[in-house]
Amino acid sequence: MVSSRNHRLLAGWALALLLMSGFAALGNWQLARMQEKQRMLAAAAHALDPAQRRSPQPLQRAADSERAKTYDWAAGHGALRKTTVWLDNQVHAGRPGVRMYCLLQPDTGGQAVLLDVGWWPLDGQRRLPAASCPAVDSQVVRGLLAPPPAVGLAHGPALTRQAAGRWLAVRLVPSELAAALRLDAGIAPRVLRLDPDVQPEDTGVMRVPGLRDLTILPNTLPPERHLGYAVQWFGLALATLVVALVLTLRRQRHD
């Protein structure tokens, strides 16, 4: 029979193994997030290379579901709808604000493309900016095709009407937006983040004065931070093993 002392020893090691497994799993998750973000940054850097900018992809690439999580420099033209979507809870340099999106229907047809026009600050009363997307029959655009902002916990409606042609969104899910806006062809899974470098020939939405940038990981942890957290979790797993060994050796000496 196993003595009560051995029972306690086995229970202690079972707890230690459980803790080590949990810490190691969290460390592996942090490493996976680090690698995922490194791939994102590498793909974006490739898309932003000057050679890629000189040979942009067509806007139809926005609808390619197989590239929904990567990046391409693209350009094209189409009809701009008089629909303005403001994405709430967007922080820039510590200031709360909203991000403005317009809808472009490419001349080649297919799914509409969301245009990230830029960030705008909110005042103390959280009034939406007066700017809106102009209706243009032929709008030329260029920018970075990218996944839409990450969605947190989804609860409640994604979109609420503020006024004619103006909507406030709490999350940017193309399928939900397409349903709310009654777009039968749908909305492409990637958004076009407009080029922040305004050129003399630019017109229409390319000149809307929102604060635009092509930052890939805004308001989130960079890969280096994930590596640091991974080291901490693996360190806790190792520390748990050391403590379990020390306690076991002490018990054996006392016996």
Side-chain angles (χ1 to χ4, degrees):
M1 295 181 61
V2 180
S3 67
S4 60
R5 182 172 297 178
N6 287 335
H7 269 303
R8 289 195 296 271
L9 180 62
L10 290 174
W13 270 103
L15 177 60
L17 290 173
L18 181 63
L19 288 174
M20 286 187 289
S21 297
F23 293 148
L26 289 169
N28 284 325
W29 182 83
Q30 291 288 351
L31 285 180
R33 289 291 291 155
M34 177 196 73
Q35 293 166 353
E36 178 185 2
K37 290 185 176 180
Q38 286 176 333
R39 289 192 295 268
M40 291 170 59
L41 291 173
H46 175 73
L48 293 172
D49 184 86
Q52 297 296 320
R53 292 195 183 208
R54 289 192 294 269
S55 302
Q57 299 293 324
L59 282 180
Q60 298 95 296
R61 294 295 292 271
D64 186 351
S65 59
E66 293 184 356
R67 297 187 62 79
K69 294 185 178 181
T70 189
Y71 302 84
D72 290 297
W73 189 260
H77 47 83
L80 199 65
R81 295 169 55 99
K82 193 173 178 58
T83 300
T84 306
V85 178
W86 296 99
L87 181 60
D88 203 358
N89 302 318
Q90 300 299 295
V91 178
H92 179 80
R95 297 183 62 189
V98 288
R99 191 165 286 276
M100 178 180 175
Y101 288 87
C102 299
L103 272 170
L104 183 85
Q105 182 61 57
D107 288 345
T108 53
Q111 293 180 318
V113 179
L114 277 168
L115 307 179
D116 181 348
V117 182
W119 178 88
W120 300 69
L122 287 176
D123 60 21
Q125 298 181 356
R126 290 186 53 81
R127 289 176 295 202
L128 291 177
S132 61
C133 301
V136 179
D137 291 334
S138 183
Q139 172 70 60
V140 177
V141 294
R142 70 181 177 281
L144 182 68
L145 285 175
V151 177
L153 295 176
H155 57 85
L159 205 64
T160 55
R161 185 190 295 271
Q162 301 297 300
R166 290 169 63 85
W167 301 77
L168 180 65
V170 294
R171 58 184 180 272
L172 206 63
V173 180
S175 59
E176 294 182 358
L177 293 181
L181 299 175
R182 299 180 180 178
L183 297 175
D184 294 336
I187 297 176
R190 286 193 290 177
V191 304
L192 185 72
R193 300 178 63 178
L194 296 184
D195 188 353
D197 297 327
V198 178
Q199 302 300 319
E201 65 273 15
D202 288 338
T203 60
V205 72
M206 293 296 296
R207 288 190 170 274
V208 173
L211 180 60
R212 301 204 296 258
D213 62 57
L214 299 177
T215 303
I216 303 304
L217 300 174
N219 305 315
T220 187
L221 296 177
E224 296 78 13
R225 292 287 297 278
H226 286 290
L227 177 60
Y229 286 133
V231 171
Q232 290 180 12
W233 287 120
F234 290 136
L236 286 172
L238 180 60
T240 302
L241 174 61
V242 171
V243 169
L245 287 172
V246 169
L247 292 177
T248 300
L249 292 174
R250 283 183 178 177
R251 181 183 296 274
Q252 289 177 348
R253 283 201 300 268
H254 290 162
D255 292 344

